[in-house]
Amino acid sequence: MKKIFILCFVMALCSPNNVNAQGFLKKIKKAVEKELKVTSNEKQSSDEGNAAVQQPIDDALKGLYHGNFGTDGSKETLVEIHETSATKKIILDKASGIRCGEFSCGLAFINTPKNGSFYINEQGDKVFSVSDKDIHNQNAMRNMRFSDNRVIDCIEKENGTYVYKAILYDNEGKIVKQLNNIEKASNFVNGVATVCTHPAKFGDKRFLKYINTKGEFVFPNLNIEGWSGDLVNRPLCDGLAAYQKRSDSNKMVWGFRDINGKEIVPATYLHVLDFSDGMAAVCGKVGEVEKWGFIDTTGKLIIPLTYTVQPKSFSDGYAVIENKEKEQFYIDKTGAIIKGPFKYGDDMSERISSFHNGYALLYQQEVGRGIGHTFVIDKNFNKTAYFDNFDASKESTEGNIIQSGTQGYFFSGGYIIGLDKFGNTRYTFISQKGDLAYDNLCSDFYEEKALYTTNLRTTAEKSSYINRKGEIIIQFVESSF
């Protein structure tokens, strides 16, 4: 229309005064009709182009179950979190700023600003207290998690005097053993914990050592002299656990041990992932470049050190690898590419997850098409369902999670769990069909209980444990006086 207006305006300016008015109007009419025809053709061409782009997307969604996550329909399947007459209230002098641990062996660790540190049972009763602690991160909380019915309380000071001792408790709060000259300790994993010793006298060095559930030192062959940094205590996976040693060149390298501490795969690798599906990803130097490959449980290198980008662990027979162009592929245990590339470029972004129990996630987004869709795919790479507004390109940290950025997901208990780390981690539970089940939780479910917090980071903050019905079973509230 702007073109037509300008055309009429120019013709009016350029026309001589003695031109017949009727003839002039005919010229304008023809010019306008011509321009309208051109505009109509351009619009039709544009509409056809947009339809061509949309058609493949619409075709891909036909016949698939559309999960309600990210839609108004999610309210129909969302579990409502609510108090009941049986909700146990724990009164604290200050309810905001407390840290609540995962339930394990029937107990959860609670760290409060005003009421000390203690363990509660599943009924919300305080079982026993430990030394007051200044907890700043999840690693510190994890170290206070019960396992094998044991936990270690490390005490740095008593009455202003450095003591450096560790108290080993059972899950009834009884002292199993006291260890002296211990600075810090991990939680128990598969019957052992790691501790960092404190030098008994000037000139002595710190050591990383292993202890069993009786408080006895074990695995002397795995002691590390001159230890510093966080403690390492990896789990047994496929019968083997990753361990570290100091190499002859004074570098920390990784290998794998069995349950008795016997070194099955000598420590020669720069980095390793835990075993999964009978294979472990390992990283070593090829020339001057760090490359990843895969070994089996005998330590044999099955897939050579090939990949510059860290791969994901094997699961359900496949692993995800990525090239330098950020294209992803599924490979089998011979290293052969089974499916891919899944592209990451200007026109299309595709990200894939590991398979778990026969299913994986495929995130697809076309440029200019918004957030895109996340598809659930089976082992034959057929799409079985999809949902909106969830980025499956990022997986996290621990165990089967691989972190990338501030969001992520993992599979647990038949759910797809989405993570949103905005100061504190928030968990969203989605069914494998894409329907919303739980939202805004602060943890996964452990022993059928998850942590839920309202009014986070405010004076009205309130932390609770809920069950899978959404019932608040334990709640921490601030005293009125």
Side-chain angles (χ1 to χ4, degrees):
M1 290 300 295
K2 188 180 290 184
K3 287 182 180 179
I4 295 170
F5 175 78
I6 293 172
L7 180 62
C8 294
F9 182 70
V10 170
M11 290 182 70
L13 287 176
C14 296
S15 60
N17 293 332
N18 60 352
V19 171
N20 181 276
Q22 188 174 359
F24 176 64
L25 290 174
K26 287 182 179 179
K27 288 181 180 180
I28 291 179
K29 181 181 177 183
K30 289 181 180 179
V32 169
E33 288 174 346
K34 181 179 180 182
E35 182 60 32
L36 286 172
K37 185 176 181 180
V38 170
T39 303
S40 176
N41 289 338
E42 288 177 351
K43 184 177 184 302
Q44 182 179 354
S45 177
S46 175
D47 290 343
E48 289 173 354
N50 290 334
V53 172
Q54 173 138 2
Q55 192 64 35
I57 297 173
D58 292 342
D59 287 346
L61 304 181
K62 284 181 179 178
L64 294 181
Y65 181 86
H66 186 186
N68 65 28
F69 176 73
T71 71
D72 292 338
S74 62
K75 296 177 182 178
E76 298 176 6
T77 56
L78 178 65
V79 175
E80 180 187 357
I81 297 174
H82 58 283
E83 294 183 33
T84 71
S85 58
T87 299
K88 174 68 177 285
K89 307 272 186 169
I90 298 179
I91 310 298
L92 300 173
D93 291 320
K94 185 179 180 181
S96 61
I98 72 170
R99 288 182 177 270
C100 303
E102 307 156 356
F103 268 91
S104 179
C105 302
L107 299 174
F109 176 66
I110 310 298
N111 177 249
T112 74
K114 300 290 187 180
N115 297 88
S117 299
F118 52 89
Y119 286 88
I120 61 171
N121 61 21
E122 295 175 332
Q123 289 73 44
D125 301 320
K126 184 189 291 188
V127 179
F128 67 100
S129 297
V130 294
S131 62
D132 202 11
K133 301 189 177 302
D134 193 8
I135 302 281
H136 293 292
N137 55 51
Q138 281 301 111
N139 282 336
M141 286 295 293
R142 190 177 298 110
N143 288 342
M144 298 304 296
R145 183 178 187 267
F146 260 88
S147 181
D148 301 304
N149 291 324
R150 295 289 187 273
V151 77
I152 303 172
D153 178 23
C154 291
I155 304 171
E156 182 182 48
K157 286 183 179 181
E158 282 184 342
N159 301 320
T161 302
Y162 287 98
V163 293
Y164 293 113
K165 65 181 181 181
I167 309 296
L168 179 59
Y169 289 98
D170 66 15
N171 62 340
E172 295 180 351
K174 296 177 180 178
I175 296 177
V176 177
K177 191 170 185 176
Q178 176 178 311
L179 299 171
N180 296 319
N181 296 317
I182 301 295
E183 290 189 5
K184 52 187 176 180
S186 75
N187 63 319
F188 279 88
V189 180
N190 304 119
V192 294
T194 52
V195 299
C196 178
T197 64
H198 180 74
K201 62 181 184 297
F202 182 78
D204 287 353
K205 294 183 178 181
R206 292 175 175 84
F207 278 81
L208 179 143
K209 294 185 177 183
Y210 288 81
I211 64 170
N212 62 19
T213 55
K214 297 179 181 179
E216 302 166 337
F217 288 102
V218 294
F219 309 164
N221 55 310
L222 301 182
N223 289 349
I224 301 177
E225 184 180 6
W227 182 259
S228 63
D230 292 334
L231 293 171
V232 177
N233 191 18
R234 301 272 283 270
L236 286 166
C237 300
D238 294 332
L240 297 175
Y243 72 92
Q244 276 187 297
K245 259 196 167 182
R246 198 178 299 281
S247 70
D248 294 338
S249 59
N250 206 34
K251 293 182 178 180
M252 298 307 299
V253 288
W254 290 87
F256 291 89
R257 63 168 178 85
D258 66 12
I259 194 171
N260 299 311
K262 182 180 178 181
E263 299 171 61
I264 304 300
V265 180
T268 58
Y269 294 106
L270 300 176
H271 314 282
V272 299
L273 302 184
D274 293 332
F275 270 93
S276 176
D277 214 8
M279 305 274 276
V282 296
C283 178
K285 280 282 187 76
V286 178
E288 295 301 316
V289 180
E290 292 186 5
K291 298 274 190 177
W292 289 82
F294 287 88
I295 62 172
D296 65 14
T297 53
T298 69
K300 182 180 178 181
L301 193 63
I302 302 298
I303 300 176
L305 302 179
T306 306
Y307 314 114
T308 303
V309 179
Q310 177 183 312
K312 298 177 184 178
S313 296
F314 271 94
S315 180
D316 285 2
Y318 296 151
V320 176
I321 61 168
E322 185 174 314
N323 64 20
K324 294 178 181 178
E325 284 71 44
K326 296 187 177 181
E327 295 176 326
Q328 293 182 319
F329 307 80
Y330 285 106
I331 60 170
D332 66 15
K333 291 185 178 181
T334 69
I337 292 175
I338 301 302
K339 190 74 172 178
F342 295 89
K343 297 183 178 181
Y344 186 87
D346 296 333
D347 299 326
M348 171 72 78
S349 290
E350 297 179 309
R351 299 288 87 183
I352 54 177
S353 80
S354 303
F355 275 91
H356 295 279
N357 298 322
Y359 294 94
L361 300 181
L362 165 62
Y363 169 76
Q364 288 185 327
Q365 176 183 322
E366 292 195 38
V367 172
R369 294 285 298 168
I371 191 63
H373 303 288
T374 296
F375 295 90
V376 180
I377 59 175
D378 62 21
K379 285 292 296 290
N380 294 318
F381 306 104
N382 296 317
K383 296 172 181 176
T384 62
Y386 75 98
F387 50 93
D388 305 328
N389 304 327
F390 182 68
D391 191 346
S393 68
K394 306 178 179 80
E395 300 182 20
S396 156
T397 80
E398 308 152 19
N400 63 337
I401 314 170
I402 297 177
Q403 188 71 22
S404 173
T406 58
Q407 291 182 319
Y409 77 92
F410 61 97
F411 288 86
S412 177
Y415 290 99
I416 302 160
I417 301 183
L419 304 181
D420 181 10
K421 292 193 173 184
F422 185 74
N424 286 66
T425 302
R426 294 299 201 177
Y427 289 68
T428 298
F429 288 65
I430 305 164
S431 77
Q432 290 196 4
K433 294 174 66 177
D435 292 330
L436 181 62
Y438 305 92
D439 198 14
N440 219 26
L441 303 188
C442 293
S443 76
D444 194 356
F445 282 88
Y446 293 92
E447 297 186 352
E448 297 301 303
K449 288 168 282 295
L451 183 63
Y452 175 71
T453 303
T454 57
N455 303 311
L456 189 65
R457 297 182 180 275
T458 71
T459 55
E461 179 180 314
K462 190 178 293 184
S463 297
S464 309
Y465 288 100
I466 68 166
N467 60 22
R468 291 191 182 271
K469 296 179 182 179
E471 298 170 339
I472 296 176
I473 53 177
I474 301 170
Q475 186 174 76
F476 298 90
V477 297
E478 191 163 316
S479 62
S480 301
F481 299 96

